[in-house]
Amino acid sequence: MPYHEFECSTCIPERKQHAVVKAPGEDLTSCLPLGYLNTIPGSISERGCAYCGAKHVIGTPMKDVIHISHGPIGCTYDTWQTKRYISDNGNFQLRYTFATDVREKHIVFGAEKLLKQNIIEAFKAHPDIKRMTIYQTCATALIGDDIDAIAGEVMEEMPDVDIFVCNSPGFAGPSQSGGHHKINIAWVNNKVGTVEPEITSDYVINYVGEYNIQGDQEVMLDFFKRMGIQVLSTFTGNGKYDDLRAMHRAHLNVLECARSAEYICNELRVRYGIPRLDIDGFGFEPLSASLRKIGLFFGIEDRAQAIIDEETRKWKPALDWYKERLKGKKVCLWPGGSKLWHWANVIEEEMGVRVVSVYTKFGHQGDMEKGIARCSEGALAIDDPNELEGLEALERLKPDVIFTGKRPGEVAKKVGVPYLNAHAYHNGPYKGYEGWVRFARDIYNAIYSPIHQLASLDISKDPIPTSHGFMTPE
Ligand code: CFM
């Protein structure tokens, strides 16, 4: 698997080891792109920071909580509402964002007083909400504010509230992945085991690493409910703060995104002996295998099989209709983390598209290894890409569609490549059988929409289609 050097990055020679082309019969152990290292100076990375990974990926999906950033207002405001992790309490966690608005004078004199004032003010403004998370940022980490001490003071003064502190400033890791780790461990250290749940079933799970993007989690919970499983907590999509304090009583941790949440599962195994079962809600086959595995664990395989049969019968014909029309279409699969391996081979197998490139912004080597293993020969794999490399890859590969985030997605549109939002989805949920068909329909619509032919027209030269045929410019 030879390294791939981008022309635009020849001035940053270290970048060469961060991209590879999968060669015939290659051995993954001998040549993987480097990954999960600090971004190379000079390369304008598309990564998020460790604060963002802790707060916006994992903390904020919790729904009955005031989430405060202790720092300059930009940290929270500029990252607000870019996600679609919905909840069933009117989306409290998405509607409001809170920051202590640290200014220069606080940097000089300290911002602990300001923090305490803000905590009390926020609880007073929302008297129904009794739970809070507080996030350190680079600025308040550097001046050394003791957030834990302030939270402790407030909890003493207001005995009906509970506060969780996450000390994961932006610089606490090479990317958002560092923040995932920090908040996983802080939660298990400080909150798990502080509430005792009511157990109502013989089959009790935590559903971990699932963030309810456009309702993904609701689809999966419906399957678990039909199997008679009690879901004690959801980490953290649509998650209730107090349910998540009771994670220690589950019989099994069912883990979706291993990149962001394997840490807490591993700790729960060590500390409470709860086994970890990795599953995959995307794609008919991976989802069916996952439901079977959970059924097998509890000895209720027949219940899983009944769901698989019913759902497959209902949705497979629609999926096949799209597969027929998507066959051979070239795709760049450029998400942030684990979706490169969750999706790589199953979209080829079940939708007929061909993955010509995968990338990850913050995946570890293991994510890249799994992603590349699931790609066909010739696929270009890139670690922590920059915008110019993305453009060069699009030029070289000429994909029919790319699955990525908003920022690279808008860039792709400008060069005439349709994009699907791999993070927040276009018309999700994408999990579950029906969701997978919805994903196929979004791909179909992205590729075949006539808007792309119109967008690539040069109206000064090309004939313009109108309702009565083509009009040629003068
Ligand atoms: Fe896991 Fe995620 Fe992802 Fe992730 Fe993300 Fe995301 Fe993603 Mo955006 S937790 S690693 S940090 S599956 S926010 S819900 S879509 S980059 S591939």
Side-chain angles (χ1 to χ4, degrees):
M1 186 160 56
Y3 286 125
H4 176 78
E5 185 166 41
F6 285 98
E7 268 170 45
C8 60
S9 290
T10 44
C11 53
I12 319 171
E14 303 94 313
R15 279 294 303 158
K16 192 176 168 185
Q17 287 168 297
H18 291 261
V20 296
V21 174
K22 183 170 178 171
E26 56 95 11
D27 174 1
L28 277 174
T29 54
S30 61
C31 186
L32 272 177
L34 292 181
Y36 200 52
L37 299 169
N38 287 333
T39 292
I40 301 161
S43 179
I44 310 292
S45 173
E46 292 175 352
R47 285 167 156 176
C49 66
Y51 150 82
C52 189
K55 178 172 193 278
H56 293 283
V57 177
I58 297 187
T60 353
M62 278 192 257
K63 63 183 171 184
D64 52 350
V65 180
I66 292 168
H67 301 283
I68 294 194
S69 299
H70 185 35
I73 200 153
C75 296
T76 193
Y77 191 79
D78 294 338
T79 45
W80 185 30
Q81 285 208 338
T82 57
K83 300 296 297 285
R84 289 178 174 170
Y85 30 63
I86 54 176
S87 67
D88 56 11
N89 67 341
N91 293 316
F92 180 79
Q93 76 289 3
L94 290 176
R95 264 190 296 136
Y96 298 97
T97 195
F98 301 85
T100 52
D101 190 16
V102 166
R103 308 281 175 104
E104 285 89 340
K105 66 176 178 200
H106 304 113
I107 300 295
V108 178
F109 299 110
E112 291 180 353
K113 252 195 238 150
L114 176 79
L115 173 63
K116 189 167 174 185
Q117 213 182 312
N118 270 271
I119 298 173
I120 294 168
E121 202 180 303
F123 275 131
K124 281 204 177 133
H126 298 278
D128 298 341
I129 305 280
K130 299 290 180 200
R131 302 290 177 256
M132 177 179 283
T133 62
I134 308 177
Y135 302 87
Q136 198 183 33
T137 59
C138 295
T140 50
L142 286 171
I143 62 173
D145 275 1
D146 190 345
I147 300 178
D148 292 276
I150 302 294
E153 266 178 37
V154 175
M155 282 195 279
E156 262 180 34
E157 290 167 25
M158 302 174 76
D160 57 340
V161 307
D162 198 85
I163 302 175
F164 166 69
V165 176
C166 179
N167 291 313
S168 175
F171 56 75
S175 69
Q176 55 259 64
S177 183
H180 302 157
H181 187 203
K182 290 252 170 352
I183 193 169
N184 271 240
I185 301 302
W187 189 265
V188 76
N189 278 345
N190 298 308
K191 293 300 168 197
V192 173
T194 57
V195 157
E196 284 304 322
E198 193 192 337
I199 302 296
T200 56
S201 164
D202 291 336
Y203 320 117
V204 185
I205 65 168
N206 295 313
Y207 190 26
V208 185
E210 217 301 330
Y211 305 98
N212 203 28
I213 306 289
Q214 281 202 14
D216 266 356
Q217 190 183 87
E218 284 166 54
V219 176
M220 298 298 286
L221 291 190
D222 177 56
F223 298 144
F224 300 151
K225 210 164 114 199
R226 282 152 71 183
M227 288 168 75
I229 292 169
Q230 180 186 0
V231 180
L232 211 53
S233 73
T234 52
F235 186 93
T236 56
N238 198 33
K240 274 175 87 175
Y241 185 101
D242 281 3
D243 289 350
L244 287 155
R245 296 164 76 185
M247 291 180 92
H248 58 297
R249 292 296 181 211
H251 305 151
L252 180 68
N253 284 316
V254 172
L255 174 62
E256 277 275 349
C257 173
R259 179 64 287 121
S260 62
E262 65 172 352
Y263 317 103
I264 194 161
C265 288
N266 294 347
E267 284 304 312
L268 290 168
R269 179 163 57 190
V270 172
R271 300 183 197 193
Y272 301 100
I274 308 170
R276 153 185 165 176
L277 184 75
D278 291 34
I279 68 152
D280 194 338
F282 294 116
F284 280 46
E285 273 314 309
L287 171 57
S288 300
S290 300
L291 294 177
R292 254 181 237 120
K293 276 201 288 188
I294 299 170
L296 205 61
F297 181 86
F298 288 120
I300 47 173
E301 302 96 300
D302 49 330
R303 297 184 193 178
Q305 198 54 49
I307 294 171
I308 296 164
D309 293 343
E310 186 190 327
E311 296 284 330
T312 309
R313 210 178 312 121
K314 204 156 145 197
W315 297 109
K316 188 73 179 8
L319 185 67
D320 289 342
W321 190 91
Y322 287 111
K323 184 178 181 179
E324 198 47 45
R325 285 149 184 89
L326 294 176
K327 212 176 276 166
K329 293 294 177 193
K330 291 193 288 179
V331 171
C332 285
L333 175 48
W334 289 353
S338 61
K339 279 175 188 148
L340 87 152
W341 51 266
H342 275 289
W343 290 357
N345 70 327
V346 70
I347 53 176
E348 291 213 13
E349 273 165 27
E350 299 191 353
M351 299 181 189
V353 297
R354 198 153 62 80
V355 177
V356 291
S357 177
V358 284
Y359 85 32
T360 159
K361 298 183 185 190
F362 57 82
H364 298 205
Q365 289 253 282
D367 297 296
M368 197 45 115
E369 187 165 340
K370 284 189 267 186
I372 295 172
R374 292 171 190 186
C375 284
S376 319
E377 280 172 19
L380 170 63
I382 318 164
D383 164 69
D384 184 19
N386 61 46
E387 185 176 306
L388 296 178
E389 291 172 348
L391 279 168
E392 193 177 314
L394 291 181
E395 176 60 31
R396 174 170 168 256
L397 301 165
K398 306 218 172 344
D400 296 291
V401 61
I402 83 170
F403 306 160
T404 190
K406 266 190 187 166
R407 281 167 296 154
E410 294 304 325
V411 173
K413 275 201 232 164
K414 285 185 190 160
V415 294
V417 179
Y419 113 91
L420 264 197
N421 193 329
H423 299 247
Y425 308 155
H426 271 60
N427 300 289
Y430 288 167
K431 275 187 182 157
Y433 299 87
E434 184 183 359
W436 201 238
V437 172
R438 216 177 270 127
F439 185 18
R441 187 177 58 209
D442 275 353
I443 303 172
Y444 174 83
N445 285 340
I447 292 174
Y448 290 106
S449 167
I451 194 75
H452 302 299
Q453 285 108 54
L454 289 175
S456 58
L457 282 182
D458 179 347
I459 54 167
S460 65
K461 293 197 227 86
D462 300 334
I464 304 161
T466 70
S467 51
H468 5 261
F470 284 86
M471 190 178 92
T472 315
E474 302 281 305

